[in-house]
Amino acid sequence: MKAALIFRKVVHYFNLEAELDDYERIHESIVKDSIFKGTNLWILVFAIVVASVGLNMNSTAVIIGAMLISPLMGPINGMGYSIATYNFALFQKAFKNFSFAVVASLLASTTYFALSPVSTAHSELLARTSPTIYDVLIALFGGLAGIVAISSRQKGNVIPGVAIATALMPPLCTAGYGLATAQLHFFLGAIYLFTINTVFIALASVAISQILKFPISTIVDTAQKRRVNRWISVVIAIVLLPSIYFGYGLVQQERFTENANRYIANVSMVEGNYLLRSSIDASQQAIRLVYGGVNLTDKQKEQIIQKADNFGLNSSSITIKQGLVLNGNNGNNAEAYALRQELVTLSTALKKKQEQIDSLSKVGYLGKTLLREVASLYPQITGCAYAETFQFQKSAASPGKIPVVIFTAIGKGLSNPDKGRIESWVKARLNNDSAKVLFE
């Protein structure tokens, strides 16, 4: 009973019908937003220009502004709602207005980019040319949020957020850039992203409209319903399958880049050769390495390539080039010889520094050794700390380095004679009469 009560409370919290607006008002709102004339048409024109300028100047803030003022969500929601309610007259009207908006946007953006003196493809443009399954999820859940907000009496500020998340206007303008610069891959990638957003926002509208049981205003037979559902399934499959393929490719590229970076860090120094430059081409699964130093032998190159297998990389994807070669000797090629000597000096210094780091890490464990040895004679000693520090004295020009040992004892502790014997033992054990022994 308690579990059933909790379940009912959870269902109540997620119930949409309690805040559902009047069906007539929802219908009027969707129909009004589906029409492109007057105000909506002018807003569309302004949004196209703003988005095109933002993409051209690589300005994220301007692009967000264009997404906020774009009215393209209206006819898309209209198409989804009309499919769910089998209102084919409204679907034709929404589809006609949507097609007009798309054509107008493409013409305006193509004209802008054809006239603009700046034709560089910045990151904001490139981001709209490679859609994946993740864009499907964004469009679907963004569309769900949008239609739920439209259906609710509490509209809130959801619609502007959905407009930003689903990003309808920028892909259209990017497609216009592809047409203006005759780059077909830009056009196709951007149009595909726009199609993903359109289809799955409309699909979200269909789903929520049916879940909320929006009234059907026309008589529809079972065969017609099956035909509509079949077309919906076909369109979803056509749009979804390529995005899954591209999403898989994106994951593989990210994994390749991660493994390649770890591999490059591992082969940055090879027997007197230093990695001068490296590049990763994740799309082609290729790595290019350029070394400087002495001439790499074929055996060294083979060893570098074989290491790729340890990082899950295909060894055939590794290309090794020799950059700066330092083979000068006997005064010939003096500059190259000097550089080579400098590299040798640097390598020696790095090796010494590593040895110092290793020795410092070992020093901290000396306390463990002392504790193990002294505890066999004095079981009441349960802890030992060891460190090396500098001792400064007024009479000395430079400080002296001394070891400091701190023993921790339990119970009654240690007697003064025992402390004296332990202190003498520590100094002999460390071969240092300056060692300081403390007890706590």
Side-chain angles (χ1 to χ4, degrees):
M1 285 294 293
K2 188 175 181 181
L5 181 63
I6 293 173
F7 178 76
R8 281 197 295 271
K9 285 185 177 180
V10 171
V11 171
H12 173 72
Y13 277 112
F14 282 93
N15 185 22
L16 293 173
E17 294 180 0
E19 298 177 353
L20 189 63
D21 203 353
D22 182 71
Y23 286 129
E24 288 297 324
R25 277 200 291 268
I26 296 172
H27 178 80
E28 290 174 5
S29 174
I30 292 175
V31 171
K32 182 184 69 175
D33 291 340
S34 299
I35 298 173
F36 270 103
K37 66 178 182 180
T39 302
N40 277 354
L41 182 57
W42 280 107
I43 292 175
L44 174 65
V45 172
F46 297 149
I48 293 167
V49 175
V50 171
S52 297
V53 173
L55 290 168
N56 202 198
M57 296 294 102
N58 205 39
S59 172
T60 304
V62 174
I63 296 168
I64 290 174
M67 290 187 281
L68 282 172
I69 62 179
S70 168
L72 276 174
M73 282 283 292
I76 296 176
N77 283 325
M79 288 189 290
Y81 167 79
S82 62
I83 292 172
T85 58
Y86 301 99
N87 189 337
F88 299 113
L90 176 59
F91 177 81
Q92 289 177 355
K93 185 184 296 184
F95 183 77
K96 183 176 69 175
N97 287 316
F98 175 74
S99 301
F100 170 75
V102 171
V103 172
S105 300
L106 283 174
L107 286 174
S109 58
T110 302
T111 303
Y112 171 82
F113 283 110
L115 297 175
S116 174
V118 179
S119 59
T120 305
H122 296 294
S123 59
E124 289 291 347
L125 273 167
L126 295 172
R128 270 85 188 180
T129 59
S130 304
T132 66
I133 186 64
Y134 299 104
D135 295 292
V136 171
L137 297 177
I138 293 169
L140 179 61
F141 286 96
L144 289 171
I147 191 63
V148 166
I150 291 172
S151 307
S152 173
R153 289 193 297 268
Q154 303 176 10
K155 308 296 183 186
N157 61 349
V158 175
I159 300 300
V162 173
I164 294 173
T166 53
L168 290 163
M169 186 60 68
L172 271 182
C173 295
T174 302
Y177 171 83
L179 290 175
T181 58
Q183 299 184 69
L184 187 61
H185 64 283
F186 273 83
F187 173 77
L188 294 177
I191 282 295
Y192 179 47
L193 175 57
F194 179 74
T195 303
I196 286 175
N197 291 341
T198 300
V199 168
F200 284 93
I201 291 172
L203 179 64
S205 298
V206 172
I208 296 298
S209 298
Q210 291 182 341
I211 290 171
L212 296 178
K213 299 177 182 178
F214 287 175
I216 300 174
S217 57
T218 57
I219 299 174
V220 185
D221 57 33
T222 305
Q224 197 170 18
K225 286 184 178 180
R226 280 202 300 267
R227 191 160 53 250
V228 170
N229 292 334
R230 193 181 301 118
W231 274 109
I232 291 174
S233 301
V234 170
V235 170
I236 291 173
I238 292 173
V239 175
L240 182 62
L241 291 177
S243 70
I244 295 174
Y245 172 76
F246 292 136
Y248 174 78
L250 176 65
V251 172
Q252 293 298 104
Q253 288 181 25
E254 290 294 327
R255 187 175 299 167
F256 178 83
T257 301
E258 181 181 348
N259 292 338
N261 283 323
R262 292 192 295 114
Y263 166 70
I264 289 171
N266 184 265
V267 296
S268 59
M269 295 177 60
V270 180
E271 299 179 16
N273 288 275
Y274 300 85
L275 188 63
L276 299 177
R277 187 170 64 254
S278 64
S279 61
I280 301 171
D281 187 348
S283 62
Q284 299 296 323
Q285 303 275 295
I287 302 172
R288 187 171 184 269
L289 306 174
V290 180
Y291 284 91
V294 297
N295 256 324
L296 281 168
T297 64
D298 291 338
K299 184 178 180 180
Q300 288 173 329
K301 290 180 180 180
E302 186 178 343
Q303 290 174 345
I304 295 172
I305 292 174
Q306 285 177 349
K307 283 187 177 181
D309 296 332
N310 301 331
F311 298 88
L313 300 171
N314 184 359
S315 58
S316 63
S317 65
I318 313 298
T319 303
I320 299 176
K321 298 290 183 182
Q322 186 75 51
L324 180 65
V325 180
L326 306 178
N327 287 327
N329 50 61
N330 299 326
N332 298 323
N333 198 355
E335 184 179 354
Y337 184 73
L339 285 172
R340 185 178 181 182
Q341 290 299 108
E342 188 67 27
L343 287 174
V344 172
T345 303
L346 177 61
S347 179
T348 304
L350 287 173
K351 187 175 181 180
K352 288 182 178 179
K353 182 61 67 175
Q354 188 60 47
E355 290 174 353
Q356 290 177 1
I357 292 172
D358 292 341
S359 64
L360 287 174
S361 63
K362 293 177 182 177
V363 163
Y365 289 94
L366 185 54
K368 183 178 180 180
T369 304
L370 294 175
L371 175 62
R372 186 173 62 251
E373 293 176 1
V374 78
S376 60
L377 299 175
Y378 298 93
Q380 62 268 48
I381 296 179
T382 58
C384 176
Y386 177 87
E388 293 180 356
T389 185
F390 289 103
Q391 184 179 46
F392 296 88
Q393 296 180 348
K394 290 182 178 179
S395 58
S398 59
K401 196 172 184 180
I402 61 168
V404 177
V405 182
I406 304 174
F407 289 111
T408 302
I410 60 173
K412 296 181 180 180
L414 298 164
S415 63
N416 288 332
D418 286 338
K419 291 180 180 179
R421 283 191 288 272
I422 292 173
E423 184 174 356
S424 299
W425 172 78
V426 168
K427 290 180 178 180
R429 175 68 174 76
L430 299 178
N431 194 26
N432 191 329
D433 292 335
S434 300
K436 300 293 181 184
V437 183
L438 307 174
F439 299 91
E440 59 178 14

